[in-house]
């Protein structure tokens, strides 16, 4: 079964209203790509980005959400609010949230449930640290994160992103053979393996995207730094044809 390539940009804590012109340029590339093109800007920009992207092929997503729909949770954003602002996806369990905010897989699982209920597609991130890889634990760690982070009834309405922590923002990328092995392993752990997209993330750049995207079990990329540069992001999108 064919899975449509998803090229997703994670802007992390970058982006002001003065950057919204990025979407006008991106719309041209998204409109002629075979890939689904997604940008996850900071939540402050979602509404304005949604207005800017109306009528284009660009999809928008959040970078995190709360487990609840409303309530006394100062500073948090509900999945339904992201949807209301124009998001259709939400990144969950990113390693920066697992480390900066001590997020556990069970919390990620509850957030994924909230996202699905709000009509958002969760992009659930998993990945091992350098120490865990060197200790030979990468597959066990990823299996445990998947086992703990995916709600029971996700069907194929979920996306997985394999992001080895040591490759994020470092310029280091996992080798194509390591990525191929891990993605094939991840697929064996999914409830709907044939239809669930598994993205790779971690220093994806124009120079390595084509090799990574050509791998059988890689269904797209979750791009950090290079998604802030229209030329770099456009050439990563172009690898999908
Ligand atoms: P970089 O592409 O900057 O390494 O970031 C990857 C990432 O964390 C995407 O979520």
């Amino acid at each position: 079964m064919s899975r449509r390539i998803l090229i997703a940009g994670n802007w992390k804590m970058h982006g002001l209203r003065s950057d919204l012109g990025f979407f006008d340029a991106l719309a041209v590339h998204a409109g002629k790509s075979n890939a689904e093109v997604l940008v996850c800007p900071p939540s402050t920009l979602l509404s304005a980005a949604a207005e800017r992207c109306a009528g284009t092929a660009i999809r928008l997503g959040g970078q995190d959400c709360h487990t609840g729909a409303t309530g006394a949770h100062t500073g948090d954003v509900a999945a339904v609010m992201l949807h209301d602002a124009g998001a259709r996806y939400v990144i969950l369990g990113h390693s920066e949230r697992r480390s900066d905010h001590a997020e556990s897989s069970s919390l990620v699982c509850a957030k994924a449930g909230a996202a699905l209920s709000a009509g958002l597609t969760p992009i659930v991130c998993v990945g091992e640290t350098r120490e865990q890889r060197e200790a030979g634990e990468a597959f066990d760690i990823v299996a445990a994160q998947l086992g703990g982070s995916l709600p029971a009834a996700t069907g194929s309405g979920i996306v997985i992103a394999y992001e080895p922590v040591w490759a994020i923002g470092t310029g280091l990328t996992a080798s194509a053979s390591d990525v191929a092995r891990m993605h094939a392993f991840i697929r064996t752990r999914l409830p709907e393996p044939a239809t669930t997209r598994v993205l790779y993330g971690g220093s994806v750049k124009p120079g390595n995207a084509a090799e990574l995207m050509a791998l059988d079990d890689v269904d797209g990329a979750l791009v950090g730094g290079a998604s802030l540069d229209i030329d770099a992001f456009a050439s990563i999108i172009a690898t999908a044809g």
Side-chain angles (χ1 to χ4, degrees), residues 178-232:
D178 281 345
V179 173
R181 265 202 300 276
M182 184 59 86
H183 278 236
F185 172 75
I186 288 171
R187 203 168 293 289
T188 66
R189 300 288 167 140
L190 298 176
E192 300 283 347
T195 49
T196 303
R197 292 182 289 186
V198 183
L199 314 183
Y200 171 78
S203 297
V204 176
K205 300 276 185 287
N208 59 24
E211 183 187 23
L212 292 163
M213 295 309 112
L215 299 171
D216 277 351
D217 283 307
V218 174
D219 306 310
L222 184 53
V223 186
S227 74
L228 298 168
D229 178 316
I230 186 63
D231 294 331

Side-chain angles (χ1 to χ4, degrees), residues 10 12 94 96 163 167-169 202-204 222-225:
N10 175 8
K12 308 191 180 185
H94 191 282
E96 286 150 16
E163 299 205 304
I168 295 176
S203 297
V204 176
L222 184 53
V223 186

Side-chain angles (χ1 to χ4, degrees), residues 147-161:
S149 305
L150 302 188
T154 51
S156 51
I158 199 159
V159 174
I160 306 298

